[in-house]
Amino acid sequence: MTTTSQPRTGSLPHPPQPALSVRQVLALERVLAGEPEVVAGAAQLDRPVRWVHVAEAPDVGVMLTGGEMVLTTGVLLAGDEAKQAEYVQSLHRAEAAAVVLGLGRAFPTPPEVMRRAAERCGLPLVVLHRPFPFAELTEEVQSRLVRRKFAAVSLSETVRTALTRLITTGAPLGRLLDEVARHSGCPVVVTNLAHRVLATAGERPAVDDVLRDWERIARQAGGSEGDGWIRADLDGRGERWGRLLLCGYRGDAATGRLLADRAAEALVLHRMLGGGSAHTWEEQSAQSLLTDLVSGVVPARRLLPRARAAGLPVNRRAFVPLVVLDRTPGQLDRVLRLLGMSGIAAELAGGAAAVLLSLARDQDAEALTARFAARLRAGSPAVVAAADARTAWEDVPAGLREAQHVADAVAGSSAALDLPAVVRLRDVHLRGLVRLLRDDPQVQSFAERELDGLLCGPDQELLGVLRTYLATGRNKSRTAQLHHVSRPALYRRLEAIQTRLGVDLDDFEQAASVHIALLAHDAQQR
């Protein structure tokens, strides 16, 4: 899963303010001059106001489309309680946001029939105790609503332009999501259809909070929206393959919907054009997680929610870290699916691939690891380096680094070594120690001094012969076979090697010294 670099908090724009609610309209200075009093439906004051409508007709409900705040003096309702009740019910059926009644000659006090009807319907009923020019309120609210509508459309086009520019310059997925998070001011999550998190963006603490509660959020993502949770489907060429979520968007829902739709359009285009990467989003997600685990830059406990959200079973599990040479993450994933094993695979720096198996604690980790390796090696050789199973998530990074060390120790030499199907730390012996010490200046100096006669010579083939001869335990027959030469020809080359180095390879100590130097040289070259 890809967690992207986070924009500084100070650079985030203020998220668009919610559409005017009934409560906000009543707090306007012009309305306060009319001494408003909420006499019914006080629990519904956060309803959004889409428009303000002045109407005296008793059947005004048929003229509404929903979301209107209706202003009236009730002059045509006075003295008829049946009309008053029906008036309120018709507004409720039309899904009006609220009704504001100006007290005066028609109703000197709040009408009890209308109050009771509004309370039953949950329709906010507001009375104004002082005369109030409805035209002023209509003008102010309408102008505010128009400005907000224009701001939402403008923001949508700004986001579309920014994302299109990033796509045309080959920006990765994470950069696009950073841009969406910057404009939305909330965490952004991309998932596949199984609700597995593929990428995130936003301020890290907020993203971590979302991932910690991802199981509940994933269920919500498939249901109705609300409370700032806005989703947009990702589909192209008639196939839906993922979702984008704005998690806890604090602005107007309509503006959030525009943002989510613009972002989804951009992500679909990004994926269709190849996304600036040779890897799928699923592979990038796994690569980000495993790279962070190996590096140790992010504490393992902070990566646990990411692993869980990516679909890796983590509760009461045993984790087997593997590093595989000569296989791609796609090939590793196919073997995992074929064997019905849980795990994630990704490419690491240097071309090796890492696998993190997640097994039930009562399963035989060594047997299953051997089974995985056997299936992987069927048909062509591959080096599978493993660390022992870890039952604590915090120990996984050290296990991955151990497996990587084992793989590094045998990389490039596996053809001349008699390796087990699964190579572990105990199998690399001296080679593993030298690999750890390869960057020590004294070790480098020792290697150059011991091998100087071959490193400076024109015939580099002799270095390869020496490498095979020592790796096979000074087995002349095996060395001649691997280099496709006769034994007499091999003897002549071994004599040339001994002459150039000034050593006797039949002497165990001298041969060991040259072997260590050659291991150090190869480790430094890799």
Side-chain angles (χ1 to χ4, degrees):
M1 167 190 69
T2 303
T3 299
T4 64
S5 57
Q6 309 304 321
R8 294 177 300 172
T9 302
S11 67
L12 288 172
H14 293 295
Q17 294 299 311
L20 286 176
S21 64
V22 174
R23 189 187 308 278
Q24 289 173 311
V25 171
L26 298 181
L28 296 176
E29 186 176 350
R30 291 184 179 182
V31 179
L32 291 175
E35 298 181 6
E37 177 188 0
V38 180
V39 297
Q44 303 297 323
L45 294 183
D46 291 318
R47 286 181 173 181
V49 176
R50 188 182 60 81
W51 208 245
V52 176
H53 190 68
V54 180
E56 297 294 350
D59 58 350
V60 65
V62 299
M63 308 175 191
L64 307 180
T65 57
E68 295 91 349
M69 174 180 277
V70 177
L71 312 180
T72 184
T73 62
V75 64
L76 300 180
L77 303 175
D80 191 331
E81 293 185 349
K83 282 187 178 181
Q84 295 170 23
E86 175 56 29
Y87 180 80
V88 171
Q89 291 168 4
S90 67
L91 293 180
H92 169 65
R93 289 192 296 269
E95 298 182 349
V99 58
V100 178
L101 176 65
L103 299 182
R105 286 178 297 177
F107 292 101
T109 60
E112 184 61 20
V113 171
M114 291 182 68
R115 188 197 68 77
R116 288 198 304 268
E119 195 65 52
R120 284 194 301 270
C121 294
L123 175 70
L125 173 60
V126 182
V127 297
L128 301 175
H129 289 277
R130 296 176 62 85
F132 184 86
F134 286 167
E136 290 184 9
L137 174 59
T138 302
E139 179 183 5
E140 179 166 349
V141 173
Q142 313 300 47
S143 63
R144 286 174 180 257
L145 291 173
V146 169
R147 287 198 300 270
R148 286 166 184 266
K149 180 71 172 179
F150 176 78
V153 174
S154 176
L155 175 62
S156 170
E157 290 307 307
T158 299
V159 171
R160 188 202 298 269
T161 301
L163 295 179
T164 301
R165 183 175 64 251
L166 290 172
I167 292 171
T168 56
T169 57
L173 170 65
R175 183 66 190 87
L176 269 67
L177 295 183
D178 277 343
E179 189 70 17
V180 177
R182 190 175 75 84
H183 286 283
S184 66
C186 70
V188 180
V189 176
V190 174
T191 75
N192 62 14
L193 293 182
H195 304 303
R196 293 187 177 182
V197 174
L198 304 180
T200 63
E203 293 185 351
R204 187 173 294 278
V207 171
D208 288 346
D209 287 343
V210 168
L211 295 183
R212 273 191 291 270
D213 198 24
W214 183 248
E215 186 175 343
R216 179 188 63 82
I217 292 171
R219 290 197 301 269
Q220 178 175 316
S224 59
E225 298 179 349
D227 297 327
W229 300 95
I230 301 174
R231 71 176 185 273
D233 289 336
L234 303 176
D235 49 42
R237 296 171 180 168
E239 179 183 5
R240 184 162 61 91
W241 39 263
R243 266 195 195 93
L244 176 137
L245 285 172
L246 302 184
C247 304
Y249 180 73
R250 299 189 302 274
D252 171 43
T255 303
R257 165 53 52 199
L258 281 173
L259 277 174
D261 288 345
R262 295 296 85 76
E265 291 170 2
L267 295 191
V268 170
L269 179 60
H270 181 269
R271 180 166 170 134
M272 291 175 63
L273 295 178
S277 171
H279 301 292
T280 66
W281 290 359
E282 288 80 0
E283 290 171 343
Q284 293 179 56
S285 173
Q287 183 177 37
S288 173
L289 175 60
L290 289 177
T291 299
D292 284 348
L293 280 169
V294 170
S295 69
V297 173
V298 183
R301 65 180 181 277
R302 287 183 53 187
L303 296 173
L304 185 60
R306 280 175 56 187
R308 182 185 291 111
L312 184 72
V314 296
N315 294 331
R316 300 184 60 78
R317 306 289 286 187
F319 304 98
V320 181
L322 306 175
V323 172
V324 182
L325 305 181
D326 303 320
R327 289 294 185 274
T328 66
Q331 292 171 317
L332 300 176
D333 278 329
R334 283 194 291 274
V335 172
L336 286 172
R337 289 195 298 270
L338 184 65
L339 297 178
M341 301 173 69
S342 297
I344 54 175
E347 184 177 354
L348 297 178
V355 184
L356 184 60
L357 300 179
S358 174
L359 309 175
R361 290 188 180 179
D362 59 354
Q363 292 181 295
D364 188 334
E366 285 205 18
L368 288 175
T369 302
R371 184 184 176 200
F372 176 82
R375 186 72 194 190
L376 194 63
R377 291 159 57 99
S380 61
V383 174
V384 180
D388 291 335
R390 265 61 174 175
T391 55
W393 175 257
E394 289 75 12
D395 295 334
V396 168
L400 282 167
R401 288 191 289 271
E402 179 182 314
Q404 190 173 37
H405 164 64
V406 172
D408 286 348
V410 298
S413 305
S414 57
L417 298 176
D418 185 17
L419 295 176
V422 179
V423 189
R424 301 183 185 274
L425 191 60
R426 60 179 176 266
D427 300 314
V428 296
H429 306 295
L430 178 61
R431 186 179 299 272
L433 176 63
V434 171
R435 183 71 178 173
L436 288 175
L437 300 175
R438 63 180 174 174
D439 294 326
D440 187 296
Q442 294 185 10
V443 173
Q444 295 174 357
S445 178
F446 167 76
E448 292 175 3
R449 184 171 61 250
E450 290 289 303
L451 300 174
D452 182 63
L454 290 180
L455 295 178
C456 298
D459 191 357
Q460 291 297 304
E461 182 189 359
L462 293 180
L463 197 63
V465 171
L466 176 63
R467 182 181 294 110
T468 305
Y469 180 63
L470 295 174
T472 58
R474 295 184 292 177
N475 186 320
K476 294 183 176 65
S477 297
R478 179 65 174 154
T479 302
Q481 180 183 13
L482 290 173
H483 283 270
H484 307 289
V485 298
S486 65
R487 286 177 65 92
L490 176 66
Y491 294 154
R492 288 193 295 272
R493 294 178 189 184
L494 290 176
E495 289 174 3
I497 290 170
Q498 293 181 101
T499 300
R500 291 191 183 185
L501 297 182
V503 299
D504 180 3
L505 293 178
D506 288 330
D507 181 89
F508 176 78
E509 185 173 339
Q510 293 183 56
S513 181
V514 172
H515 192 186
I516 293 172
L518 186 57
L519 291 176
H521 168 74
D522 289 346
Q524 292 159 13
Q525 294 303 305
R526 285 199 297 275

